Amino acid sequence: MLARLVLTNLRNHTDLALTPGAGFVVLTGPNGAGKTNILEAVSLLAPGRGLRRASLSEVARADGPGGFGIAATLGAEAVEIATGTLAAAPERRVVRVNGATTTANALAEWLSILWLTPAMDRLFVEPASERRRFLDRLTLALSPAHAGETTRYDAAMRARNKLLADDLPDRDWLAALEVQMAQHGATVDAARRDTVSALSERLASQPPSDFPRAGLTLDGWSGDADALLHSLREGRIRDAAAGRTLIGPHRVDLIVTHLDKTSLAALASTGEQKALLLGIVLAHADLVGERRGNAPILLLDEVAAHLDPARRASLFERLARRGQIWMTGTEPALFDAIGADATRITLG
């Protein structure tokens, strides 16, 4: 959990300090008060570009000095984590743990953070890349090394694509890049499939509830490093003509079904899709808690506004005692069913 959070020149927050509790953290206020900006700041304490996927320069306050800072104290261990940018280098992220400079990927060793935002309501009908990104966040929470593996795979793939565009590519360098892709790609694939298998088993075993059960499968390439290396070598001419690599874990799609209706989630109603997504995140939070010994921090942006009172109360009941859950809404009344056991912060 976060015991303290300090934001400096981030979005609309010039200098904001919060001391959230261990359970529900409820942020309320009018639109534009900066509720989602706080969730974005928490999401940037994990590898990646945060819940908005914004450039770092966009995160800095528009009329500020140019950089921004996020500082957090973690739980009883009092681990100090800080990240942000300097005005002189607005797109260069700086990360420190207990004062020592490290990489953004190293943050996964300290925190597991998952989020749901209104923009994700169409996840099941968006391009496959959005579902892969979602799956990678689920996987990262279970396997902190996953961020580094995907980063190295993507870097090697970009270098290979660029090399294949040359009329006379360096064949030794090409072979070395393909070895890197094969090694990291097989590891990425194995971690994703472990996540899907464990999560699917948990979802299928759950009794009926207000949140429908989702079935999860992966569609696309799967195999070991040798198989991927062979495919890459055999596909050089094809990939050069296409201008991109056409086989590998970067082409996989996460297929989600509504188990109780035996139909694709993409064909479900908007309300059902949101409920399916919530069900996946809740089951995954339990899985992370079991495997890592600590529940992930959940960031739920405007999630209560689109649920009826009964399903809202059911959601709060399922979330109780699952670690730190940050929630936003315009009206405090949306969170009455939580009771007194919450940190309530009013903005604006």
Side-chain angles (χ1 to χ4, degrees), residues 6-77:
V6 178
L7 312 183
T8 305
N9 293 316
L10 185 144
R11 299 287 187 181
N12 70 317
H13 299 294
T14 303
D15 187 11
L16 178 68
L18 304 175
T19 53
F24 290 102
V25 182
V26 178
L27 307 174
T28 57
N31 293 328
K35 304 182 296 295
T36 304
N37 295 342
I38 295 174
L39 298 194
E40 182 180 30
V42 177
S43 73
L44 286 168
L45 295 173
R49 295 170 56 187
L51 58 81
R52 283 194 175 105
R53 293 192 55 76
S55 66
L56 293 173
S57 59
E58 290 177 311
V59 178
R61 186 163 60 90
D63 57 350
F68 72 90
I70 306 166
T73 303
L74 307 188
E77 300 88 355

Side-chain angles (χ1 to χ4, degrees), residues 91-133:
E91 290 295 347
R92 181 177 178 272
R93 185 175 180 183
V94 178
V95 178
R96 293 189 178 93
V97 177
N98 288 333
T101 301
T102 186
T103 66
N105 286 342
L107 293 172
E109 298 287 345
W110 298 98
L111 282 173
S112 299
I113 304 175
L114 293 173
W115 55 81
L116 287 179
T117 69
M120 295 172 64
D121 287 352
R122 291 178 52 81
L123 180 70
F124 303 130
V125 296
E126 292 285 349
S129 59
E130 295 300 317
R131 288 183 291 281
R132 280 196 302 274
R133 190 173 292 119

Side-chain angles (χ1 to χ4, degrees), residues 127-162:
S129 59
E130 295 300 317
R131 288 183 291 281
R132 280 196 302 274
R133 190 173 292 119
F134 174 68
L135 174 59
D136 282 334
R137 285 202 300 274
L138 300 181
T139 304
L140 177 63
L142 294 170
S143 177
H146 186 67
E149 295 293 336
T150 55
T151 297
R152 295 182 188 100
Y153 175 83
D154 289 341
M157 181 175 64
R158 288 193 299 270
R160 177 180 181 267
N161 290 343
K162 184 177 180 180

